[in-house]
Amino acid sequence: MASMSISMSNFLTKSANPQNTPHFRLRPSLAIPQERSLGTGHHRTVQMKRISCALIEADGGGLVELLVKGEDLRDLKRREALEIPRIKLSRIDVEWVHVLSEGWASPLRGFMRESEFLQTLHFNSLRLDDGSVVNMSVPIVLAIDDKQKQLIGDSDRVALVDSTNNTVAILSKIEIYKHNKEERIARTWGTTAPGLPYADEAITNAGNWLIGGDLEVIAPIRYGDGLDRFRLSPAELREEFIRRGADAVFAFQLRNPVHNGHALLMTDTRKRLLEMGYKNPVLLLHPLGGYTKADDVPLSWRMKQHEKVLEDGVLDPETTVVAIFPSPMHYAGPTEVQWHAKARINAGANFYIVGRDPAGMSHPVEKRDLYDADHGKKVLSMAPGLQRLNILPFKVAAYDKTQGKMAFFDPSRPQDFLFISGTKMRTLAKNKESPPDGFMCPGGWKVLVDYYDSLAVPENGKVPQAVPA
Amino acid sequence: MASMSISMSNFLTKSANPQNTPHFRLRPSLAIPQERSLGTGHHRTVQMKRISCALIEADGGGLVELLVKGEDLRDLKRREALEIPRIKLSRIDVEWVHVLSEGWASPLRGFMRESEFLQTLHFNSLRLDDGSVVNMSVPIVLAIDDKQKQLIGDSDRVALVDSTNNTVAILSKIEIYKHNKEERIARTWGTTAPGLPYADEAITNAGNWLIGGDLEVIAPIRYGDGLDRFRLSPAELREEFIRRGADAVFAFQLRNPVHNGHALLMTDTRKRLLEMGYKNPVLLLHPLGGYTKADDVPLSWRMKQHEKVLEDGVLDPETTVVAIFPSPMHYAGPTEVQWHAKARINAGANFYIVGRDPAGMSHPVEKRDLYDADHGKKVLSMAPGLQRLNILPFKVAAYDKTQGKMAFFDPSRPQDFLFISGTKMRTLAKNKESPPDGFMCPGGWKVLVDYYDSLAVPENGKVPQAVPA
């Protein structure tokens, strides 16, 4: 899967050049002109100033990027890293380093120290020195075990290395504190039932200590899976929104294939924003790219599917930016949807579309959904630090048999509508059956069928890995 | 136990007269003069104005009392209550009605509706219409079962009745929503382990629905246990603090007998406040009076013990107000300590003494404390809506063998100190052994010995009830 080459002619991509300058393929010009009308009547003066004026401000007043700048300094840090204790990161740890490095979690400056961890667990928010409050609902923490703690000893910093022992980052002014896993799980998920995917993957067998500190990331995180060019940082996204003259950015988080119901919703949202007086609302179609559970469709297949949807013209490429959100998935419902929304503020989004049961899943033990389907929307609308964000509740779309297409559900004629659940969609694709015409563009559907086809081959009873190693 | 008569000559008490006018026994004058120097240079003008000027403001800007005023109106409400669906309250439910009725949970106007419940679980705080935030960390909710829900049907209000079918209150503009017990327990306690006392008592076997609404309480809640006169409302406490000319009020929450280490701490706190420039800091010694677990010392015995401590002169009655806090106990550590502090703001306290592991207990299943001993203090100091409150961390006191008395622990000579845990204290009292001289005043110790003596009599294997029925 990692070697699969994807050509996404309609996609916003960035070049792999070492200066990490974004390379946007949708417009012919690569250089961002210094003086250019934004279509909103404003003119650009200094680049950073323009960014903060035109788009919603990042949490805490400015994007906190934690990347070491310049090759010389990077080399210096790499050499320093050889002289301090080394901690090996898991794949999910690296994803969090990625998230932190680009400022998705601004104003966090590294893995959480205990005061931030406690505020996250108890208040889903952090109070800053100036008294203001930012949202922060999922712990971004790094676990170490007794042996690693002993190894660190009195050192006030550690090097973080990847699976091949390359130095990824340095963590300074460290604080080591207890990792109460039960409490962390209970307060994050509202249950301690066994079988929570993220807990099984990253908490239950993790060490009994957490290590927080200030993070310096040596170089941009790359996965080499052919999708790095879609992993735009918040700063790069902000650049692009400004380049397009966006006066509203509406974010759509997803971890599933896009069907025409989603497309209808996104198109309708843009229409509503235009009616509200915005001149150029831009959609951030933002699939989650980090850890997902084994039965979710893997990122690479989802990206192929999204490409087909754009190619098919279901969404307008001129007003749509597709990029990958690097966070791992918690499946923590109302707690996690706040993180999904907050991170998009940092990327410049001031509107957020929230669906039914966002970040939800089945209860791992009981026969019911883990969360009330309405709680995500309700909690999000009341969450501390998110008052600046406009929450757009998801209108329910279903297949309208009378029109032969996806349409907003009309409660006055329920008999005309067919609800196609994720489970049903997956079952159809697995069995190579077709959904009703108009449910999903044929090219997108074929990607799904191909994905399940690729799974069927081994027949060795092994559960497919959601995240390529 | 309920018939036990207690004479507490040093205690602040109120008369049982039907107008519910506080009757303070420490000062000869019952009437509060209309114009009187407060000792702070201020003069009283209108009573309510003076209260809000002299003491910390209640949460939300004013105390919300939910008592129906006047016998005529009460009779009317009692008659109305006969025509609407009736919900029978448990003892703990009545305690919450008590708490709500007097404004301890201001600005709550009744049992929580879902939006308040969700904010409490996720944020430990409520955002008010004006955008301000108040702390609210434990759910104050009323559970009903399927049958009761059916009985209520379309009614938009219900009558709440006690175990003898007397109408206690009316709940209006009701909202019924799902009671997800697992999620409630996980987010409140940070564990779902079986054996949490409050969960076993009031949640696990409670109904699957919660009912919120606006509460009108027909008459002040009375328990007829000889202790009602010590159950001063926040308004009554504020009156008393002002009458005494307090320019600082420091609250000490407790659910255990007072030993000389506590007394040292309270005396020392007053000294520190005087050094800070306050002229008349008053201590609110505030034992919790609602539900406690079976192995805690019952309220009536604790009150007897506190009386002896005051009689003994360990605490100065002139600068100490002893009253009962009517809340039931959750044993929810860092979550609950916020509630304990917030409620005392509403009673006029602007300083709160927080101990080691406040509201903590042993893990019900594992061999460890449920909470990190420092988390209560840390969480409290960062809690939303409590910034106005000054948190005073508990200095550790222990028995100093060189002085033969309780003293603040000196880490430079640990060998001189003896730590007497609650468990050790109880074991000594049970065995009628004496603690070291100076640990507790002899009169107070005798009460403890008498209490355990009273338990030993039945020898029938029955666990004693913590709360007299």
Side-chain angles (χ1 to χ4, degrees):
Chain A
M1 234 164 345
S3 65
M4 190 178 63
S5 157
I6 305 179
S7 129
M8 301 200 185
S9 56
N10 275 326
F11 272 37
L12 171 67
T13 66
K14 63 180 171 190
S15 70
N17 80 39
Q19 277 74 46
N20 193 30
T21 311
H23 171 159
F24 299 110
R25 295 181 55 186
L26 273 175
R27 301 270 169 128
S29 157
L30 299 189
I32 298 172
Q34 279 306 306
E35 200 66 39
R36 181 171 171 276
S37 167
L38 291 173
T40 56
H42 294 298
H43 279 77
R44 171 181 195 181
T45 48
V46 182
Q47 182 178 319
M48 287 317 292
K49 184 147 184 277
R50 200 195 51 162
I51 289 180
S52 64
C53 289
L55 298 173
I56 189 171
E57 205 176 45
D59 269 351
L63 262 184
V64 176
E65 292 187 306
L66 303 172
L67 280 165
V68 176
K69 303 282 184 200
E71 259 327 295
D72 288 355
L73 201 50
R74 284 175 185 174
D75 282 343
L76 181 72
K77 293 286 173 188
R78 282 192 191 98
R79 283 195 302 275
E80 281 178 24
L82 297 174
E83 326 235 312
I84 55 179
R86 297 164 80 75
I87 300 293
K88 192 165 281 192
L89 302 177
S90 72
R91 167 77 184 220
I92 287 181
D93 294 336
V94 171
E95 289 170 0
W96 284 123
V97 169
H98 186 175
V99 162
L100 290 165
S101 70
E102 297 182 338
W104 298 96
S106 293
L108 272 193
R109 306 198 70 88
F111 284 105
M112 291 178 174
R113 296 191 179 88
E114 192 177 41
S115 66
E116 293 157 335
F117 178 61
L118 290 173
Q119 289 182 79
T120 297
L121 288 188
H122 287 274
F123 315 133
N124 289 4
S125 58
L126 304 176
R127 198 193 310 162
L128 307 185
D129 288 342
D130 67 0
S132 66
V133 168
V134 296
N135 191 270
M136 193 66 244
S137 62
V138 301
I140 301 183
V141 289
L142 181 60
I144 56 173
D145 60 24
D146 295 2
K147 218 170 119 191
Q148 288 170 312
K149 180 171 182 285
Q150 203 177 359
L151 175 86
I152 294 167
D154 287 337
S155 177
D156 78 334
R157 46 190 210 141
V158 295
L160 307 182
V161 304
D162 65 15
S163 57
T164 59
N165 276 318
N166 283 320
T167 303
V168 172
I170 290 175
L171 197 64
S172 307
K173 297 181 196 158
I174 59 171
E175 180 187 300
I176 296 176
Y177 54 101
K178 271 183 236 157
H179 187 193
N180 186 329
K181 300 173 191 179
E182 181 189 53
E183 184 172 4
R184 174 181 172 192
I185 294 170
R187 296 198 193 277
T188 304
W189 280 271
T191 178
T192 57
L196 296 168
Y198 187 94
D200 285 356
E201 183 74 24
I203 303 180
T204 311
N205 297 315
N208 289 321
W209 305 94
L210 296 174
I211 179 168
D214 291 348
L215 193 68
E216 293 169 290
V217 183
I218 309 288
I221 305 294
R222 297 285 178 255
Y223 301 85
D225 58 356
L227 301 174
D228 283 331
R229 62 205 160 115
F230 303 114
R231 294 190 173 95
L232 301 182
S233 72
E236 290 166 346
L237 286 168
R238 285 174 172 263
E239 285 277 349
E240 177 62 13
F241 298 139
I242 288 162
R243 205 179 62 76
R244 296 200 187 194
D247 59 351
V249 175
F250 58 112
F252 189 68
Q253 140 79 29
L254 73 171
R255 63 167 218 272
N256 279 313
V258 172
H259 58 61
N260 289 349
H262 298 131
L264 172 67
L265 179 78
M266 291 183 264
T267 309
D268 180 70
T269 301
R270 179 168 154 89
K271 211 179 93 196
R272 282 157 66 200
L273 292 172
L274 288 168
E275 283 164 9
M276 284 163 71
Y278 290 99
K279 300 295 176 221
N280 187 23
V282 168
L283 164 64
L284 171 59
L285 183 62
H286 215 191
L288 179 136
Y291 164 82
T292 51
K293 59 189 167 65
D295 62 349
D296 279 359
V297 179
L299 176 67
S300 55
W301 290 93
R302 283 186 278 131
M303 291 301 286
K304 275 187 83 159
Q305 196 270 349
H306 299 343
E307 175 194 25
K308 294 295 177 194
V309 170
L310 274 194
E311 270 181 9
D312 208 65
V314 180
L315 290 168
D316 175 11
E318 285 296 314
T319 57
T320 304
V321 172
V322 186
I324 293 173
F325 176 48
S327 173
M329 187 77 200
H330 268 62
Y331 304 93
T335 300
E336 187 169 25
V337 71
Q338 298 171 66
W339 161 240
H340 287 173
K342 174 240 165 69
R344 272 55 176 246
I345 291 180
N346 284 336
N350 55 339
F351 287 88
Y352 187 83
I353 301 174
V354 59
R356 196 185 157 280
D357 199 15
M361 54 173 269
S362 298
H363 193 288
V365 175
E366 298 171 30
K367 272 206 149 184
R368 60 173 176 93
D369 285 338
L370 181 50
Y371 304 108
D372 184 301
D374 292 330
H375 281 189
K377 185 175 60 190
K378 288 179 184 170
V379 167
L380 189 59
S381 71
M382 301 185 292
L386 296 183
Q387 295 91 326
R388 300 184 295 143
L389 188 67
N390 299 289
I391 312 292
L392 299 169
F394 207 110
K395 286 206 255 176
V396 178
Y399 187 75
D400 184 345
K401 292 180 280 186
T402 67
Q403 296 189 68
K405 65 174 191 180
M406 296 299 283
F408 290 124
F409 178 67
D410 178 352
S412 72
R413 47 185 188 94
Q415 70 286 355
D416 293 343
F417 288 87
L418 192 65
F419 284 89
I420 300 172
S421 68
T423 308
K424 181 156 187 185
M425 183 178 77
R426 283 191 289 269
T427 308
L428 287 171
K430 274 178 202 167
N431 299 337
K432 299 190 193 179
E433 292 177 58
S434 292
D437 271 355
F439 171 74
M440 188 186 285
C441 66
W445 185 257
K446 187 171 177 305
V447 174
L448 269 195
V449 173
D450 287 350
Y451 165 60
Y452 284 106
D453 225 23
S454 77
L455 288 188
V457 178
E459 288 286 3
N460 59 0
K462 275 178 78 178
V463 175
Q465 288 302 304
V467 179
Chain B
M1 235 162 347
S3 65
M4 188 177 65
S5 157
I6 306 180
S7 129
M8 302 201 185
S9 55
N10 275 328
F11 273 37
L12 170 67
T13 65
K14 64 183 173 188
S15 71
N17 80 39
Q19 278 74 46
N20 192 30
T21 310
H23 172 158
F24 299 108
R25 294 181 54 185
L26 273 176
R27 301 271 170 127
S29 157
L30 298 189
I32 298 172
Q34 280 303 308
E35 199 68 39
R36 182 171 169 276
S37 166
L38 293 173
T40 57
H42 295 298
H43 277 76
R44 170 181 194 178
T45 49
V46 181
Q47 183 177 318
M48 288 317 292
K49 184 147 182 280
R50 198 196 50 160
I51 288 179
S52 64
C53 290
L55 298 173
I56 189 171
E57 205 176 43
D59 269 350
L63 261 183
V64 176
E65 292 187 306
L66 303 172
L67 280 165
V68 175
K69 303 282 184 199
E71 260 325 296
D72 288 356
L73 201 50
R74 285 175 183 174
D75 282 343
L76 181 71
K77 293 286 173 188
R78 282 192 192 99
R79 283 194 302 275
E80 281 178 22
L82 297 175
E83 326 233 314
I84 55 178
R86 296 163 81 75
I87 300 293
K88 191 165 280 191
L89 301 176
S90 71
R91 166 77 183 222
I92 287 181
D93 294 335
V94 171
E95 289 170 0
W96 284 123
V97 169
H98 185 177
V99 163
L100 290 166
S101 71
E102 296 181 339
W104 297 96
S106 293
L108 273 194
R109 305 199 71 89
F111 285 105
M112 291 178 175
R113 297 189 179 89
E114 193 178 40
S115 67
E116 293 157 335
F117 178 61
L118 289 174
Q119 288 182 79
T120 297
L121 289 188
H122 287 274
F123 316 132
N124 288 3
S125 58
L126 304 176
R127 198 190 314 161
L128 308 185
D129 288 342
D130 67 1
S132 66
V133 168
V134 297
N135 191 270
M136 194 67 244
S137 62
V138 301
I140 302 183
V141 289
L142 182 59
I144 57 173
D145 61 23
D146 295 3
K147 218 170 119 188
Q148 286 170 313
K149 180 172 182 285
Q150 203 176 1
L151 176 87
I152 294 167
D154 289 336
S155 176
D156 78 335
R157 44 190 211 143
V158 295
L160 307 181
V161 304
D162 66 14
S163 58
T164 58
N165 276 319
N166 283 320
T167 303
V168 172
I170 291 176
L171 197 64
S172 307
K173 298 181 195 159
I174 59 171
E175 180 187 300
I176 297 175
Y177 55 101
K178 271 183 237 157
H179 186 192
N180 185 330
K181 300 173 190 178
E182 182 190 51
E183 184 172 4
R184 175 180 172 193
I185 293 169
R187 295 198 193 277
T188 304
W189 280 271
T191 178
T192 57
L196 296 168
Y198 187 93
D200 285 356
E201 184 75 24
I203 302 180
T204 311
N205 298 315
N208 289 320
W209 304 95
L210 297 174
I211 179 170
D214 291 347
L215 193 68
E216 295 170 289
V217 182
I218 309 288
I221 304 295
R222 297 284 177 256
Y223 302 84
D225 58 357
L227 301 174
D228 282 332
R229 62 207 159 113
F230 304 114
R231 295 189 173 95
L232 301 182
S233 72
E236 290 165 346
L237 286 168
R238 285 173 171 264
E239 285 277 348
E240 178 61 13
F241 297 139
I242 287 163
R243 205 179 61 76
R244 295 199 189 193
D247 59 353
V249 176
F250 58 111
F252 190 68
Q253 140 78 28
L254 73 172
R255 62 167 218 271
N256 279 311
V258 172
H259 58 60
N260 289 351
H262 299 131
L264 172 67
L265 179 77
M266 292 183 265
T267 308
D268 180 70
T269 301
R270 180 168 154 88
K271 212 180 91 196
R272 282 157 66 199
L273 292 173
L274 288 169
E275 283 164 9
M276 283 164 70
Y278 290 99
K279 300 294 178 223
N280 188 21
V282 168
L283 165 65
L284 170 59
L285 184 63
H286 215 192
L288 179 136
Y291 164 81
T292 50
K293 59 190 167 68
D295 62 348
D296 278 359
V297 178
L299 178 66
S300 56
W301 289 93
R302 282 185 279 131
M303 292 301 286
K304 276 187 81 157
Q305 196 269 352
H306 299 343
E307 174 194 28
K308 293 295 177 193
V309 170
L310 274 194
E311 270 181 10
D312 208 65
V314 180
L315 290 168
D316 175 12
E318 285 297 313
T319 58
T320 304
V321 172
V322 184
I324 293 172
F325 176 48
S327 172
M329 188 76 199
H330 268 62
Y331 305 93
T335 301
E336 186 169 27
V337 71
Q338 299 170 65
W339 160 240
H340 287 173
K342 175 239 166 68
R344 273 53 177 247
I345 291 180
N346 284 336
N350 55 340
F351 287 87
Y352 186 83
I353 301 174
V354 60
R356 198 187 156 280
D357 199 16
M361 55 174 269
S362 299
H363 193 287
V365 174
E366 298 169 28
K367 270 207 151 183
R368 59 173 177 93
D369 286 337
L370 181 49
Y371 304 107
D372 183 300
D374 291 331
H375 281 189
K377 184 176 60 188
K378 288 179 183 170
V379 167
L380 189 59
S381 71
M382 301 185 290
L386 296 183
Q387 294 92 325
R388 300 185 295 143
L389 187 68
N390 299 289
I391 312 292
L392 299 168
F394 208 108
K395 286 205 255 176
V396 178
Y399 188 76
D400 182 345
K401 292 180 280 186
T402 66
Q403 296 188 69
K405 67 175 190 182
M406 295 299 284
F408 290 122
F409 177 67
D410 178 352
S412 73
R413 47 183 187 93
Q415 70 285 357
D416 292 345
F417 288 87
L418 192 65
F419 284 89
I420 300 171
S421 68
T423 308
K424 178 153 190 186
M425 182 179 77
R426 284 191 290 269
T427 307
L428 288 170
K430 273 178 201 166
N431 299 337
K432 299 190 193 180
E433 291 176 59
S434 292
D437 271 355
F439 172 73
M440 188 185 287
C441 66
W445 186 258
K446 188 172 179 303
V447 175
L448 268 196
V449 173
D450 288 351
Y451 164 61
Y452 285 106
D453 224 24
S454 76
L455 289 188
V457 178
E459 289 284 3
N460 57 3
K462 275 178 78 176
V463 175
Q465 288 301 305
V467 179

